[in-house]
Each structure stands twice: as structure tokens, then as C-alpha cells.
Amino acid sequence: MSRFRNEVLHLKSHVKTLRLGACALFVVSLMLGFGWWNAPRDLTIHVPPDLRSGSTRPWWDVPPESVYAFTFYIFQQLNRWPTNGEEDYPRNLHALSAYLTPECRAFLQQDYEYRRSGGELRQRVRGLYEIPGRGYGDDPISRVRAISNHDWIVTLDVSADEYFGAEQVKRALVRYRIKTTRLDVDPERNPFGLALDCYAGAPQRIETPPPPSGTPANATGVPQGDTP
């Protein structure tokens, strides 16, 4: 009988050990679940567009090439009026509001009112594109200037084309200096954590190289606008 009694006691002890182990696993699972629930759901890491060579950098650092790509993309979309500037410009301001600082949004709203009152938007089609040979890869140092860890000045050399109906009314080669700042306040609408803070100076007209001898100054017949 003693042998069977010892076996029963051994089994009871084993069951008790299993129960304690199950309780411990349950507690550990709760702790892991709590930690997983409080972990960030998204982590934005800026990776340079050119991945031909590897790079090592802090995850919070924003490389200048990413700043340039973001600035050019948002600025280009802001100035894209596919059908009618009087409707497209305010629609762009609303759609891209998460990528603009409040001060910049107010400034561009005033610019819209000024252009509309001057008749510069009605039935206007507008687009920007980067001038070949004047992109970030051609002169990285002058294209992005870091003011601090959170602020940059980006220099864009672009061609601004505008049409009224089927007629081109403007083609201006312009240099814009855009202030870009870190604004990681709404990851749902702005996953980049960056925003345009409008202009760091007045837009500048870029001088085109003189045409070859014997060629008219405007051989293409394309009209030149007065304002960028």
C-alpha cells in the first residue's frame, strides 16, 4: 500500500508543479501581451533612394536625399493644376494640408486669393518639372542645406509651364528655395514626418544659356511669363 500511496503523492506533486508552471506561463503571456500592446505600431525609417551602396545611420536621422525627394514631390503636386487652377489650387491646398506647416498653409491661401483676384487661375493648366542636369545628384551639397537636425533649406531648379486652353502662356525657369521642417505630429496623414514651411527667399529667374549664333532668341515661339 505504501508504494501505491507514494505513487499517488508523486502524481499529485507533479500535477501541482504543472499547474504552477501553467500559471507562470499565463503571467508571462500577459506581460508579453501588455508590452506588445504598448509598442509603437509604425516606425518610420528614412532610407536613401539610391541603394547601390549600403549606409549606416541612426533611425531618427533624415538623409538629405530623402529631404530633397520629399520637398520636390510635394511642391510639384502643389503646383499641378491639371484642368483649372481656380479649382485645382485650393483642392491641392486641402489635400496636402498635412504636408504644410500652418504658417505655410496660410501664406499659400493668401497667394491663391491674390492670383484669383488677378485672373491668373481661371482655366489655367500648370505643371512643374525638374530641369535636367540641375537635380540633387548633380550638386548634392548646394541642393540641401541643413539648418539644424529638424530644419533644411532645399533648392529646386524647375521649369514652370502654364497653358490657357491649348495655348502655352508661360514657361519660366525658376529657382525656389524651400524651407522643410520635421513635423511628426500626424503619422496617419503624414507618414514622412516632414512638412514644407514655404519659401526661404523670393523665387529667382534662372538665366538660360545664349542660343548659338544665327539662332533667334526665341526660336521655339514659346511665350515667356513674367511671374514664376
Side-chain angles (χ1 to χ4, degrees):
M1 291 296 294
S2 61
R3 184 169 64 86
F4 291 105
R5 182 177 299 175
N6 291 337
E7 187 67 22
V8 171
L9 293 176
H10 175 71
L11 291 176
K12 288 184 177 179
S13 177
H14 183 62
V15 171
K16 183 179 180 180
T17 303
L18 292 177
R19 289 176 177 173
L20 291 176
C23 292
L25 289 176
F26 180 73
V27 172
V28 171
S29 299
L30 287 179
M31 295 176 63
L32 292 176
F34 180 77
W36 173 80
W37 181 260
N38 287 276
R41 296 178 181 272
D42 299 291
L43 185 63
T44 301
I45 299 177
H46 295 270
V47 179
D50 187 0
L51 298 180
R52 290 175 295 180
S53 60
S55 64
T56 302
R57 63 180 71 248
W59 70 266
W60 61 85
D61 182 36
V62 184
E65 48 266 48
S66 295
V67 175
Y68 182 89
F70 168 83
T71 303
F72 176 70
Y73 178 77
I74 298 300
F75 191 70
Q76 185 182 52
Q77 293 300 305
L78 188 65
N79 286 274
R80 177 58 180 146
W81 310 338
T83 55
N84 181 6
E86 200 168 37
E87 298 176 356
D88 296 331
Y89 194 1
R91 182 169 60 246
N92 291 344
L93 289 178
H94 176 72
L96 299 173
S97 60
Y99 303 101
L100 306 172
T101 63
E103 296 83 358
C104 185
R105 173 76 186 276
F107 173 83
L108 293 177
Q109 186 65 36
Q110 293 178 356
D111 179 66
Y112 162 71
E113 299 293 344
Y114 174 79
R115 289 176 180 263
R116 186 182 64 171
S117 62
E120 298 183 27
L121 299 178
R122 183 179 296 274
Q123 302 302 321
R124 288 290 185 100
V125 174
R126 179 180 172 92
L128 296 182
Y129 59 88
E130 191 177 65
I131 299 176
R134 293 176 179 262
Y136 176 81
D138 300 293
D139 191 4
I141 297 178
S142 65
R143 292 299 165 189
V144 179
R145 181 163 61 93
I147 305 301
S148 67
N149 292 333
H150 304 279
D151 301 282
W152 302 265
I153 293 181
V154 179
T155 300
L156 302 178
D157 288 350
V158 300
S159 176
D161 293 354
E162 287 191 14
Y163 293 82
F164 183 81
E167 181 181 358
Q168 186 173 8
V169 295
K170 180 186 297 183
R171 168 164 289 174
L173 305 181
V174 189
R175 171 168 292 170
Y176 293 98
R177 288 186 172 87
I178 310 296
K179 292 186 293 183
T180 302
T181 186
R182 191 189 295 267
L183 191 68
D184 195 8
V185 296
D186 191 356
E188 187 68 25
R189 297 182 60 203
N190 181 356
F192 301 99
L194 301 172
L196 302 189
D197 198 20
C198 282
Y199 304 111
Q204 299 176 351
R205 183 65 59 89
I206 299 176
E207 296 295 335
T208 57
S213 59
T215 304
N218 190 13
T220 61
V222 177
Q224 305 295 316
D226 295 330
T227 58

